[in-house]
Amino acid sequence: DTGVSQDPRHKITKRGQNVTFRCDPISEHNRLYWYRQTLGQGPEFLTYFQNEAQLEKSRLLSDRFSAERPKGSFSTLEIQRTEQGDSAMYLCASSLELMYQETQYFGPGTRLLVL
Amino acid sequence: DQQVKQNSPSLSVQEGRISILNCDYTNSMFDYFLWYKKYPAEGPTFLISISSIKDKNEDGRFTVFLNKSAKHLSLHIVPSQPGDSAVYFCAASLTGTASKLTFGTGTRLQVTL
């Protein structure tokens, strides 16, 4: 299967700890997105990369959050000094900037619980 | 400000009948709309999309209708099957803005036997 993969699938951490999530997009896709989903809500956009360049960040992405996509392949999302409000599902999606209107394909997500 | 709204949190339909899921949006600049299906503990799965230059798009049992004047779209599933039971999200984007998606809050569809 060559879909979007995310690791880990689940993470439990204590408040104040740092966590890092990884996303591997579909291999030929040059765009990569991070979203966050909380209970009862739809996914909310966090940030997006075109190749290795981070081109947009949501105001939801506080200074404690940082994302990278070295060499335009996989991406990591790090949360420093986690807070209980960071508990959510973190979703990664990728797309191919070929067509005028592109479709994003999502990974299975990483569920984070901050105690 | 919720730019994409799904006002029905849940819907129950009998197997074999039509399921109609609705979505409203407020930003008239949105020009590409997508429906995703989500099972618990999984990521959203792309179902079907429609461009604002069309008013209907069909793929097998799934049809999406777009009414731009009413800023409304709907997803029809015919016939509904038990495996269709999931949460359905409507999403919208503005072409040319990196296509970041704005999602609704979802509708939980239950297809009963």
Side-chain angles (χ1 to χ4, degrees):
Chain A
D1 187 291
T2 56
V4 179
S5 62
Q6 292 187 246
D7 184 70
R9 294 290 306 274
H10 304 274
K11 179 71 176 179
I12 300 174
T13 191
K14 292 182 180 178
R15 191 178 54 188
Q17 298 294 303
N18 299 344
V19 295
T20 300
F21 309 141
R22 176 179 170 126
C23 170
D24 287 89
I26 294 171
S27 57
E28 64 268 25
H29 285 186
N30 61 337
R31 285 187 171 173
L32 187 148
Y33 299 80
W34 286 97
Y35 292 82
R36 180 173 70 186
Q37 185 179 18
T38 53
L39 202 60
Q41 301 296 315
E44 294 176 291
F45 171 78
L46 291 178
T47 189
Y48 125 83
F49 291 84
Q50 178 148 321
N51 301 311
E52 66 274 10
Q54 186 175 18
L55 296 186
E56 189 171 348
K57 292 195 287 187
S58 162
R59 58 179 169 75
L60 294 175
L61 213 66
S62 77
D63 292 344
R64 297 183 297 105
F65 288 69
S66 63
E68 293 183 344
R69 193 183 181 197
K71 301 178 183 176
S73 55
F74 70 92
S75 175
T76 58
L77 178 68
E78 181 183 17
I79 309 174
Q80 296 182 326
R81 305 180 304 281
T82 52
E83 301 173 356
Q84 288 182 326
D86 297 331
S87 296
M89 171 80 90
Y90 290 83
L91 294 162
C92 175
S94 70
S95 68
L96 182 60
E97 187 208 2
L98 252 190
M99 298 159 56
Y100 182 59
Q101 288 166 330
E102 67 210 49
T103 297
Q104 294 179 29
Y105 295 90
F106 283 81
T110 295
R111 183 168 294 282
L112 173 66
L113 177 61
V114 182
L115 302 176
Chain B
D1 177 32
Q2 192 74 24
Q3 296 189 72
V4 178
K5 299 177 185 178
Q6 294 177 257
N7 292 319
S8 298
S10 64
L11 175 67
S12 184
V13 171
Q14 275 192 322
E15 182 181 12
R17 301 285 189 117
I18 183 171
S19 295
I20 300 177
L21 296 96
N22 294 304
C23 177
D24 297 291
Y25 60 97
T26 57
N27 188 342
S28 58
M29 299 296 290
F30 285 141
D31 60 0
Y32 189 51
F33 304 90
L34 307 91
W35 284 94
Y36 286 85
K37 178 170 77 172
K38 189 177 185 301
Y39 294 117
E42 293 185 14
T45 301
F46 170 70
L47 272 178
I48 191 168
S49 61
I50 188 166
S51 167
S52 60
I53 61 173
K54 296 184 175 180
D55 54 21
K56 177 182 173 182
N57 189 26
E58 197 170 349
D59 183 1
R61 297 187 298 116
F62 302 92
T63 303
V64 55
F65 296 92
L66 175 63
N67 182 334
K68 287 188 294 293
S69 60
K71 297 193 187 70
H72 176 84
L73 63 156
S74 61
L75 174 68
H76 293 210
I77 307 174
V78 183
S80 301
Q81 299 174 353
D84 296 329
S85 298
V87 178
Y88 289 78
F89 290 97
C90 167
S93 69
L94 289 76
T95 304
T97 60
S99 302
K100 67 182 181 186
L101 298 174
T102 301
F103 282 85
T105 52
T107 296
R108 180 177 301 279
L109 173 65
Q110 175 98 24
V111 179
T112 58
L113 298 173

